[in-house]
């Protein structure tokens, strides 16, 4: 990543850390928060994490959602179920639906945040002194998202005090602290959302905001594949392209692995790769293998390709 971006992330970390209360989760995203044009806003996080937020942060690449999600699942598994429940799900309903929404709107980039950043299992447990919005408004003014999606009546109620009233599923353009945003309120993502309903909601957003549900046009593919000076730091490969690239450039163990995982990739989809510091075809073959392994094992459609390289991937319709 360019030095200027590292400097920008370092300054972002410095500013946020100065106002972030202890043991708080200010947001979750994959990569740079500055790439996120959509905020999904709840009231406060429900799952406290033993590992601090900054453990998953890098001034080079931003936030590592993949590693954070692994910790999230492991910590939930290790905790006893709540009162009256026989077991605790490793992935809660809200988290599952937020992950699917992020997959559907991958091209725009989603930052998940909350009005209040202190985590509690129930909102009623949030103390008066913990209802501080400084972190949220810092993110809002620093990143300036195009669209804000509030879920749940409480988070919507907060915005109705900040801006004029707006109706459910009606996208309105509003001014918040001098910046223009489109804003929409939906029911809480903890219940009542099927895969089909999430897809329909995504279509609504795309129709009103001009998003493309992660699709990459031929022109965009060309732009992604060509950096200034002719250096190809990006690539969009379809199903056959991934296999062919690894078979032509990978080590034997990489080639063997790709055949174990290839069933994870729908032939009608493609993967957008950002190579980072993976410079040789052999290194990029390892990145392709890592991406497909994460898709196969964790059903994650975007994230880091490898622990050894600063490359990332994102699944897009073919």
């Amino acid at each position: 990543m360019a030095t200027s971006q590292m400097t920008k992330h370092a300054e972002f970390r410095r500013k946020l850390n100065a106002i972030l209360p202890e043991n708080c989760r200010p947001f979750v995203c994959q990569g740079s928060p500055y790439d996120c044009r959509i905020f999904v806003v709840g009231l406060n996080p429900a799952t406290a994490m033993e590992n601090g937020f900054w453990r998953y942060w890098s001034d080079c690449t931003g936030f590592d959602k993949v590693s954070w999600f692994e910790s999230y699942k492991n910590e939930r598994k290790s905790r006893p179920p709540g009162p009256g429940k026989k077991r605790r799900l490793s992935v809660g309903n809200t988290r599952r639906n937020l992950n699917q929404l992020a997959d559907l709107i991958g091209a725009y980039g989603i930052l998940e945040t909350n009005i209040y950043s202190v985590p509690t299992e129930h909102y009623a447990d949030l103390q008066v002194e913990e209802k501080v919005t400084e972190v949220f408004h810092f993110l809002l003014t620093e990143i300036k998202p195009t669209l804000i999606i509030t879920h749940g009546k409480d988070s919507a109620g907060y915005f109705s005090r900040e801006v004029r009233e707006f109706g459910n599923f009606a996208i309105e353009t509003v001014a918040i602290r001098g910046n223009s945003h489109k804003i929409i309120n939906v029911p809480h993502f903890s219940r009542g959302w099927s895969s089909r309903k999430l897809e329909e909601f995504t279509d609504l957003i795309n129709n009103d905001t001009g998003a493309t549900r992660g699709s990459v046009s031929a022109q965009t593919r060309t732009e992604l594949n060509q950096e200034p000076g002719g250096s190809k730091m990006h690539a969009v490969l379809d199903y056959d392209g991934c296999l062919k690239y690894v078979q032509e450039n990978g080590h034997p163990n990489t080639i063997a692995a790709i055949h174990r995982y290839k069933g994870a990739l729908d032939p009608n989809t493609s993967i957008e790769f950002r190579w980072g510091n993976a410079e040789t075809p052999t290194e990029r073959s390892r990145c392709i293998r890592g991406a497909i392994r994460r898709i196969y094992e964790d059903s994650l459609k975007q994230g880091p390709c490898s622990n050894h390289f600063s490359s990332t991937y994102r699944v897009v319709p073919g």
Side-chain angles (χ1 to χ4, degrees), residues 214-239:
S215 63
V216 179
S217 67
Q219 178 181 357
T220 304
R221 286 173 190 266
T222 301
E223 292 170 352
L224 285 173
N225 287 338
Q226 196 71 30
E227 289 281 301
S231 174
K232 291 188 177 181
M233 296 304 297
H234 304 249
V236 178
L237 300 175
D238 60 14
Y239 177 86

Side-chain angles (χ1 to χ4, degrees), residues 55-119:
R55 176 170 179 171
Y56 308 101
W57 175 265
S58 164
D59 289 345
C60 291
T61 56
F63 191 76
D64 184 355
K65 183 179 178 180
V66 174
S67 296
W68 173 86
F69 186 49
E70 286 303 310
S71 297
Y72 165 93
K73 291 187 291 185
N74 291 334
E75 290 195 25
R76 284 183 63 92
K77 288 178 183 177
S78 67
R79 295 174 185 173
K85 297 184 179 180
K86 296 183 178 180
R87 64 189 181 94
R88 181 185 292 273
L89 298 173
S90 62
V91 180
N93 291 337
T94 303
R95 169 55 40 203
R96 185 184 65 250
N97 288 326
L98 286 174
N99 282 355
Q100 183 174 349
L101 184 66
D103 288 341
L104 290 169
I105 316 179
Y108 262 54
I110 281 183
L111 184 141
E112 304 161 20
T113 187
N114 293 277
I115 304 297
Y116 311 118
S117 54
V118 176

Side-chain angles (χ1 to χ4, degrees), residues 187-261:
H188 200 279
F189 285 118
S190 62
R191 63 188 70 87
W193 288 88
S194 63
S195 295
R196 182 180 180 85
K197 185 174 180 180
L198 283 167
E199 290 177 359
E200 291 174 349
F201 175 58
T202 305
D203 287 337
L204 170 70
I205 293 173
N206 294 337
N207 291 335
D208 279 85
T209 64
T212 57
R213 277 187 68 177
S215 63
V216 179
S217 67
Q219 178 181 357
T220 304
R221 286 173 190 266
T222 301
E223 292 170 352
L224 285 173
N225 287 338
Q226 196 71 30
E227 289 281 301
S231 174
K232 291 188 177 181
M233 296 304 297
H234 304 249
V236 178
L237 300 175
D238 60 14
Y239 177 86
D240 292 331
C242 287
L243 299 182
K244 183 178 179 181
Y245 192 99
V246 172
Q247 288 169 345
E248 292 179 350
N249 302 291
H251 288 302
N253 61 336
T254 303
I255 296 171
I258 204 76
H259 281 285
R260 289 200 303 271
Y261 300 131

Side-chain angles (χ1 to χ4, degrees), residues 41-54:
V41 181
L43 200 59
N44 76 305
T47 302
M49 303 280 288
E50 292 184 8
N51 295 329
F53 172 80
W54 296 114

Side-chain angles (χ1 to χ4, degrees), residues 12-30:
F12 175 87
R13 171 175 49 81
R14 185 192 67 78
K15 290 179 181 178
L16 179 57
N17 196 43
I19 62 173
L20 187 65
E22 190 175 355
N23 299 323
C24 286
R25 188 210 306 168
F27 65 87
V28 170
C29 72
Q30 180 54 51

